[in-house]
Amino acid sequence: MAEAKKENPTTTEQEGPKLPQKRFFRQRAHVNIFNDVPLDYPINPDEEDWSKLYPTYFRPHADKHQTASDAKRPHSPSVDGPTVAPAKRGPAATAPVEDSLAKVEFADIGCGYGGLLVALAPLYPTTLMVGMEIRTKLVDYLQQRIEALRGFQRNLLAQPGTEWVDVNVKLAQEVAALSQPLAGTKESHDTGETERLVPGHYENIAAMRINCQKYLPNFFKKGQLSKMFVLFADPHFKRRKHKARIISQTMLAEYAYVMKTGGIIYMITDVEDLYNWSLSHLDDFPLFERIPNDEILADPVTPFVINSTEEGKKVARNNGKKYLACYRRIEDPDSSEAV
């Protein structure tokens, strides 16, 4: 894999930023989430150093090799393998935000190659979003992709008169593609802007390797997230594998914990059996209520949920059907939660 990375650098001194190529980062779709895999996770959300992923928004922690907090951080067994390079600090239009104000609010669970994050970044330029994925090569690809896009933006900022993307026009184009929202949808090819400036300059998105079905509450505080995306998840067709599905009673309890009241979970799949399974669990869970279809289609995020992921594009190419449902986190009547 080291040779593949040398052939496909994200940046070079001669050429500047360069988008990574997917062919160097292919990996099998199925990963056993119950296996012990080499992961680094914080003992609690306050211990996570987000400055590695969002240098514009977070001050770096002190020397991580010497701090007491890092000494407390648990490590799974270490093995040799590729690591995700930390995001590089560079010029940005937005001044750094104090740590007490900056927090991740959107989470894409099983983000794959990151199509949704790249598409949403300009629409929510001051909202921090993270893609969470267990497959190493996909995380490497996405973080290199993000760093390359940030590099293009820094170069464009140095060129007077560079054109800006009109995010309203971008949104209108996506909405126009939804004449048949869940079947035969036009394929989207948004790989990120390399020739025009975008709000936020992709400084608000990042990727991390994590097993969400084990460590999600280690990264997020109670009520932190306002949006969560579960898009084209592994269907795990065999009955004995159903316990590994990303929508389950156990996982919904954790999602409800990290989502704030009024937050929305977006779920879409092209597998009807998985769709019905997910609906049955979400409908039965007391802290989520289904959002009516007319409200879903009026949500500016919906076109990107349907169109922007690589799996969504594949379904569109094959004229397949997509099954979409969104649920709102509601107040727990047995607690003191505020709406």
Side-chain angles (χ1 to χ4, degrees), residues 177-236:
L178 294 180
S179 56
Q180 294 180 317
L182 302 180
T185 313
K186 181 181 177 181
E187 184 180 352
S188 172
H189 292 277
D190 185 2
T191 57
E193 291 290 343
T194 59
E195 298 180 354
R196 298 184 297 174
L197 288 168
V198 298
H201 311 298
Y202 301 106
E203 297 285 351
N204 60 325
I205 59 175
M208 61 166 44
R209 187 173 184 228
I210 173 181
N211 184 343
C212 293
Q213 288 169 276
K214 286 186 176 181
Y215 305 120
L216 195 65
N218 292 72
F219 289 88
F220 302 121
K221 297 180 179 180
K222 181 178 181 180
Q224 179 173 336
L225 299 179
S226 60
K227 293 187 187 295
M228 180 181 292
F229 304 94
V230 181
L231 313 183
F232 300 98
D234 190 333
H236 293 290

